Amino acid sequence: MRIDILTLFPNMFTGVFNESILKKAQEKQAVSINVINFRDFADNKHKTVDDYPYGGGAGMVLKPQPIFDAVAQVTKHSERPRIILLCPQGERYTQKKAEELAKEEHLVLICGHYEGYDERIREHLVTDEISIGDYVLTGGELGAMVIVDSVVRLLPGVLGNEASPLHDSYSSGLLEHPHYTRPADFRGMKVPEVLLSGNHRLIEEWRAKQSLRRTFLRRPDLLENCELTEKQKQWLEEFKKEQR
């Protein structure tokens, strides 16, 4: 996969992309990440990338020319790139979206600043608008880091255990079950006996039930769009009775 990030602050990405899983993914050549300062594409003497909004109002607006030209440069050899605008007005980012983007060959992330983008960027250039949450940041850089991290970890060969992403919270529509490690007894706090039993069927059933319980207690909204088995429906009724 190739990921190009268009930003006015490329140094913000240095530490994030040169540590941990993202660094290893690049070393394994599972992904190529390029950070481009789109100010370099401004066609004016002072390299200005923003201007006052037509009609008046507070703040400055990013001009279309530098961004259009930067995207044209990074996509000239790409057949079907996904061009993503980081924006508070965009689609709320989810694990499902991360899984969708992980199947692409080329992503272009555009990080905005100031009051916003010239509307022609939205209408005629991008394929997706994404928001990482219902709040406003000073720019799109942090959102881009979140998207890159969540997508790259899903690429084949990036994580040590290929099954790891399959059990992540949200991948199944539910939150992940609790985890424990040694010691079995830490200051009187004990690991559930079923996890020490060696009975894999019972362990998987316990994990599935705990996953559903945790979702019911912490994120019941997720259950509205989740298809449950008959067994899970029975467990859900148990949880509801426990709360009465």
Side-chain angles (χ1 to χ4, degrees), residues 2-162:
R2 173 180 169 182
I3 301 176
D4 291 305
I5 301 170
L6 306 185
T7 174
L8 294 174
F9 301 95
N11 290 338
M12 289 182 66
F13 296 89
T14 303
V16 175
F17 291 168
N18 286 285
E19 298 289 346
S20 189
I21 297 297
L22 292 179
K23 179 182 180 181
K24 293 177 181 178
Q26 293 173 85
E27 292 173 344
K28 293 177 179 178
Q29 299 184 338
V31 64
S32 170
I33 304 176
N34 311 292
V35 182
I36 298 105
N37 189 338
F38 63 81
R39 189 182 298 279
D40 295 338
F41 291 84
D43 63 359
N44 60 84
K45 185 171 96 173
H46 300 291
K47 295 295 181 182
T48 303
V49 296
D50 61 322
D51 210 333
Y52 295 103
Y54 280 122
M60 304 291 279
V61 176
L62 285 171
K63 299 168 67 174
Q65 177 273 317
I67 293 177
F68 268 80
D69 286 358
V71 169
Q73 175 67 29
V74 300
T75 61
K76 62 182 179 180
H77 299 302
S78 184
E79 291 187 7
R80 291 190 302 171
R82 292 287 285 272
I83 303 171
I84 300 166
L85 196 70
L86 279 300
C87 173
Q89 302 174 27
E91 168 190 356
R92 187 187 294 181
Y93 195 56
T94 63
Q95 183 67 21
K96 183 178 179 181
K97 190 71 172 182
E99 293 167 358
E100 175 189 325
L101 295 178
K103 298 174 184 176
E104 299 290 337
E105 293 184 3
H106 188 189
L107 303 179
V108 179
L109 307 180
I110 305 174
C111 305
H113 263 271
Y114 312 119
E115 186 63 23
Y117 304 93
D118 184 290
E119 190 67 15
R120 288 164 289 192
I121 296 171
R122 301 178 192 276
E123 293 178 345
H124 302 288
L125 185 63
V126 305
T127 60
D128 303 80
E129 292 184 49
I130 290 179
S131 168
I132 62 167
D134 295 340
Y135 46 86
V136 179
L137 300 171
T138 55
E141 284 75 16
L142 294 176
M145 295 176 199
V146 168
I147 291 173
V148 171
D149 186 282
S150 60
V151 167
V152 169
R153 66 186 301 277
L154 296 174
L155 299 179
V158 169
L159 296 182
N161 187 337
E162 293 297 320

